[in-house]
């Protein structure tokens, strides 16, 4: 029995070491990509070459096939219920990295003046989501993912053009779904499926809709898109403090 307990303890420690390695790699990749975007912004020739390459149909097909293959591998591992906790990189890690690079590559081919600030923000946001997923409970991860969708929606409403109008409408519907999804995750963790409970995501959703309405449709002068996004980020930070305190209390 003692030998089995030692084996279980050692196996658990190995899994923690693997997770720490993965998080370290993702943190390093985030730093590399931020440096790459800053360098790309200041190097016109490299940005032009990448734009020409991303416009070619053959490269787009290759990138899309790789992304779909990584997703298929992830789904296959989920169907077979493989335990990937001891692997250096899981199928989810591989799919996330491949899809991130593919989406960035395809985005580059759709515009000659990409938004570097948006790319850097999304890179940092995705890395933080990965850390939150592995450190906090699932309710804070759902809350964080929802706020990323809210922030993206506010950004889309600040842009002009038919494709942004369509994307804004779709993301607004996604905001409502993410709000419901976060509520269900929190209710499941609390064991109160049949009871109405207030969640911070409700306030985030109402605040997002309110500021978008004031800035985009009503046209309040001092409520700009920048103010809207700052407000969303500020309330998310407050929500993060709430979930952190909650996690510390549960750990005691």
């Amino acid at each position: 029995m003692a030998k089995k307990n030692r084996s279980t303890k050692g196996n658990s420690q190995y899994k923690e070491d693997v997770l720490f390695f993965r998080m370290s790699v993702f943190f390093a990749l985030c730093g590399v990509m931020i440096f790459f975007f800053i360098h790309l912004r200041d190097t016109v020739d490299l940005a032009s070459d990448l734009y020409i390459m991303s416009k070619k149909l053959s490269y787009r097909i290759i990138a899309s096939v790789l992304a779909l293959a990584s997703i298929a591998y992830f789904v296959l591992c989920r169907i077979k219920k493989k335990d990937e906790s001891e692997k250096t990189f899981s199928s989810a890690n591989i799919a996330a990295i491949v899809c991130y690079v593919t989406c960035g590559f395809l985005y580059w081919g759709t515009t000659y003046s990409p938004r570097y600030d948006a790319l850097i923000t999304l890179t940092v946001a995705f890395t933080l989501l990965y850390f939150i997923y592995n450190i906090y409970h699932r309710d804070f991860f759902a809350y964080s993912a929802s706020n990323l969708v809210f922030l993206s929606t506010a950004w889309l409403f600040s842009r002009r053009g038919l494709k942004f109008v369509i994307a804004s409408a779709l993301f607004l519907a996604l905001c409502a779904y993410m709000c419901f999804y976060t509520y269900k995750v929190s209710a499941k963790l609390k064991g109160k499926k049949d009871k109405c409970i207030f969640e911070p995501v409700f306030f985030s959703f109402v605040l997002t809709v309110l500021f978008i309405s004031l800035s985009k449709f009503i046209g309040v002068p001092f409520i700009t898109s920048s103010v809207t996004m700052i407000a969303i980020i500020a309330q998310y930070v407050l929500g993060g403090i709430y979930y952190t305190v909650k996690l510390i209390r549960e750990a005691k």
Side-chain angles (χ1 to χ4, degrees), residues 121 147 151 207 227-239:
T121 300
N147 272 270
L151 188 67
L207 182 74
V227 172
T228 300
M229 288 187 280
I230 290 173
I232 295 172
I233 294 172
Q235 63 81 32
Y236 170 72
V237 171
L238 293 176

Side-chain angles (χ1 to χ4, degrees), residues 85-190:
S85 58
E86 296 185 8
K87 288 186 176 181
T88 304
F89 294 106
S90 67
S91 59
N93 297 148
I94 296 172
I97 294 174
V98 174
C99 289
Y100 167 81
V101 174
T102 299
C103 289
F105 182 76
L106 295 177
Y107 167 73
W108 211 268
T110 61
T111 175
Y112 193 71
S113 57
R115 295 295 300 267
Y116 292 96
D117 55 343
L119 291 170
I120 292 174
T121 300
L122 286 175
T123 301
V124 174
F126 290 147
T127 305
L128 287 176
L129 280 177
Y130 181 71
F131 274 65
I132 290 169
Y133 182 84
N134 289 290
I135 296 174
Y136 288 82
H137 296 308
R138 292 296 177 264
D139 54 347
F140 184 46
F141 171 77
Y143 172 77
S144 301
S146 298
N147 272 270
L148 178 59
V149 173
F150 299 159
L151 188 67
S152 301
T153 304
W155 181 79
L156 287 171
F157 268 98
S158 68
R159 307 288 289 172
R160 296 180 179 179
L162 180 60
K163 62 181 180 180
F164 289 107
V165 172
I166 297 173
S168 299
L170 292 175
F171 265 72
L172 196 57
L174 182 60
C175 285
Y177 171 77
M178 291 301 296
C179 190
F180 172 75
Y181 170 74
T182 304
Y183 166 78
K184 295 297 290 183
V185 170
S186 300
K188 185 177 181 180
L189 288 174
K190 293 180 180 180

Side-chain angles (χ1 to χ4, degrees), residues 10-12 14-15 18-19 22 83-89:
N11 190 50
S12 177
Y14 180 75
K15 290 180 179 180
V18 170
L19 180 59
R22 291 177 183 175
D83 182 12
E84 300 181 276
S85 58
E86 296 185 8
K87 288 186 176 181
T88 304
F89 294 106

